[in-house]
Amino acid sequence: MKVNTMRTINHYVGIPLCLLVSALLKIKDTLLRGKRGKAGKVNKVLFVELSEMGSAILADPAMRWIKKQGCELHFVIFKNNAASLDLLKTVPADNIFTLRPDNLFTLSTDTLKLMLWCRKKGIDTVIDLELFSRVTSLISMLSGASHPIGFDRVHEEGLYRGKHLTHPVMYNPHLHISKNFMVLAHSAMGCDHQPYQRETISSNDIQLARAEITETEKQAAIKKIRSLAPDYSPDKQRLVLINPNASDLLPQRRWMEDRFAEVIRTLINEYPDILVIITGAPSEKASAEQLNNKVNQSRCFNSAGLFQFSELVPLYSISSLMLSNDSGPPHFASVTDLPSFVIFGPETPRLYGALSNSTPIYAGMACSPCVSAGNHRKTSCTDNQCLKAITSDDVLKVIRPTLNNKVIAKAS
């Protein structure tokens, strides 16, 4: 299903459905004398995050905190994004439910199945991680959970998605999203059910766990690199990963191809021990090959479609640096020690910067960020000067110190 189609359904179908279901729940609560939301132990928690693979990583500290409170974790996500949950394995595979967003029929059918699944699992608490999505609001309403938790507009206008939350939380647009997620988690375990969570979330509270990577997985990654570069030796050469892609959700996040090419050519000329690997999904192979042809250097290779998602973390673990657009890979890399450098434009690293060893490259123009929770991350901009303002020299200046100091990553 196309992104704009999903936005249209979210607005024109989501609002009346949220209004209707909220009214029905109000009647039900009145007849049952307010059964929902009463004090009770939180045992089985369902996290809802459908559309962003990177957000599943950013939510991991909050999930691990809930787990430490003795709760059993569950998760619902779009099927094509579910692989992100396998990186840290915080949620057991049997407790993950996937929805197919192919069309309205499959989405509706899977949502009905989810309602039965929630009751079978005995879900008592839902933490909706989405920023004002009506689909996830309906999921939390219909889940049967006695404690639905999510972001609430409080006194803001617009973004209506029902009045069903027993634990409403004010979304703070000035706080990193991982800290906002942690506030939701704390609200679930608190007894003060009001939108202002009066507490401080420190950087130590959102430290990411590290993925477990075996020597066998590293050797498999090395073997795949050698299928591109037969003479590759991890003892003598360093890998620099380039991710020039960004999801269709926000194509304005893509830095210009010619500038990526200029950075790659310069790095190859300045550092004789590096191999540049252009990464991407199978669907991005053609665009990655176009960039590779533009670079036209013997030490630059197109690996788009070569590595399965489960093989990315081992690849990151044997690499020296990643340069990427603002998209999923820097978040996936954050579960390793790989330094990542991320080019931001229509969004801000203050809210969505990758955790761990990541450096944002950001022009900080007056119009940035132009996408937010308030506009469902939609912009009408067709001239992304926020990225055009970032030159190849700007990027090289930021990443050179790491390459100058980085020791060759060994497989063992």
Side-chain angles (χ1 to χ4, degrees):
M1 196 185 305
K2 294 182 179 180
V3 174
N4 280 332
T5 302
M6 295 175 69
R7 288 193 178 110
T8 300
I9 293 172
N10 183 63
H11 183 82
Y12 290 105
V13 178
I15 291 177
L17 277 180
C18 285
L19 181 63
L20 173 63
V21 177
S22 291
L24 293 175
L25 282 175
K26 182 68 174 177
I27 295 170
K28 177 185 174 183
D29 286 352
T30 301
L31 294 175
L32 296 178
R33 298 182 180 178
K35 181 180 178 181
R36 291 168 72 252
K38 284 189 175 181
K41 183 172 174 56
V42 175
N43 290 308
K44 298 188 176 184
V45 181
L46 174 67
F47 285 86
V48 184
E49 171 56 66
L50 302 181
S51 58
E52 286 286 342
M53 296 180 78
S55 291
I57 302 298
L58 292 171
D60 196 76
M63 291 194 292
R64 287 180 181 271
W65 185 86
I66 284 286
K67 191 174 183 178
K68 287 180 180 178
Q69 313 310 308
C71 300
E72 182 180 323
L73 302 184
H74 303 74
F75 208 102
V76 58
I77 192 170
F78 282 151
K79 187 173 183 178
N80 53 323
N81 294 334
S84 59
L85 293 171
D86 195 47
L87 294 183
L88 292 174
K89 305 183 188 304
T90 304
V91 183
D94 289 343
N95 288 355
I96 298 172
F97 190 96
T98 59
L99 298 174
R100 295 167 296 168
D102 306 336
N103 52 60
L104 185 57
F105 176 77
T106 59
L107 183 60
S108 301
T109 301
D110 287 352
T111 300
L112 291 174
K113 292 178 181 177
L114 173 62
M115 299 304 98
L116 297 175
W117 184 83
C118 287
R119 285 158 176 79
K120 182 179 178 180
K121 289 286 187 178
I123 300 298
D124 55 65
T125 302
V126 173
I127 298 181
D128 184 358
L129 301 172
E130 292 272 6
L131 300 181
F132 303 103
S133 161
R134 280 113 193 180
V135 172
T136 58
S137 176
L138 287 165
I139 287 174
S140 64
M141 279 195 245
L142 299 172
S143 66
S146 56
H147 299 100
I149 300 158
F151 295 118
D152 189 76
R153 63 178 180 171
V154 192
H155 298 298
E156 299 286 340
E157 294 185 6
L159 296 174
Y160 173 81
R161 59 174 193 160
K163 281 292 184 181
H164 66 289
L165 298 174
T166 58
H167 298 57
V169 173
M170 183 194 73
Y171 168 68
N172 187 342
H174 307 288
L175 197 66
H176 192 277
I177 192 63
S178 60
K179 293 185 177 181
N180 271 294
F181 290 159
M182 186 62 78
V183 173
L184 288 177
H186 284 198
S187 174
M189 306 306 296
C191 58
D192 185 13
H193 300 167
Q194 50 81 37
Y196 305 108
Q197 296 298 308
R198 302 176 181 89
E199 57 185 315
T200 299
I201 306 294
S202 72
S203 296
N204 290 332
D205 294 324
I206 55 170
Q207 293 296 313
L208 269 182
R210 287 292 184 265
E212 296 181 2
I213 309 161
T214 66
E215 185 61 28
T216 300
E217 290 173 326
K218 290 183 180 181
Q219 291 298 330
I222 290 172
K223 184 177 180 180
K224 286 207 168 183
I225 293 296
R226 285 178 176 155
S227 71
L228 299 172
D231 296 329
Y232 167 60
S233 171
D235 293 330
K236 298 178 181 179
Q237 293 168 300
R238 296 181 290 174
L239 300 179
V240 171
L241 307 181
I242 303 292
N243 173 49
N245 308 295
S247 73
D248 293 335
L249 182 66
L250 194 61
Q252 291 87 346
R253 291 186 294 191
R254 294 189 179 102
W255 198 44
M256 285 59 70
E257 183 184 78
D258 60 332
R259 298 190 188 181
F260 268 117
E262 187 176 346
V263 167
I264 294 171
R265 284 193 294 266
T266 302
L267 292 179
I268 288 175
N269 290 332
E270 291 184 2
Y271 300 93
D273 67 326
I274 69 167
L275 300 182
V276 174
I277 307 297
I278 302 171
T279 64
S283 60
E284 297 161 338
K285 187 173 183 177
S287 59
E289 187 60 27
Q290 183 174 307
L291 173 59
N292 188 36
N293 291 336
K294 183 166 288 190
V295 172
N296 193 26
Q297 294 284 332
S298 61
R299 285 190 283 126
C300 180
F301 304 92
N302 174 15
S303 75
L306 178 63
F307 290 89
Q308 297 181 23
F309 187 87
S310 60
E311 297 172 313
L312 290 181
V313 167
L315 171 64
Y316 299 156
S317 72
I318 63 170
S319 301
S320 294
L321 181 148
M322 171 192 286
L323 174 65
S324 175
N325 283 326
D326 168 29
S327 56
H331 297 291
F332 311 145
S334 64
V335 303
T336 72
D337 293 325
L338 178 68
S340 65
F341 295 83
V342 187
I343 302 171
F344 279 84
E347 290 192 302
T348 168
R350 290 186 178 182
L351 296 180
Y352 288 100
L355 302 178
S356 301
N357 194 9
S358 184
T359 302
I361 302 173
Y362 187 49
M365 301 190 78
C367 56
S368 297
C370 62
V371 296
S372 67
N375 59 24
H376 293 289
R377 303 176 76 185
K378 184 174 183 178
T379 176
S380 57
C381 177
T382 58
D383 182 18
N384 54 348
Q385 288 293 328
C386 54
L387 288 179
K388 293 176 181 178
I390 300 173
T391 67
S392 303
D393 285 339
D394 292 332
V395 171
L396 288 164
K397 190 180 299 182
V398 175
I399 67 178
R400 278 191 183 110
T402 297
L403 285 175
N404 292 339
N405 298 324
K406 188 73 176 178
V407 177
I408 289 178
K410 296 185 178 181
S412 57

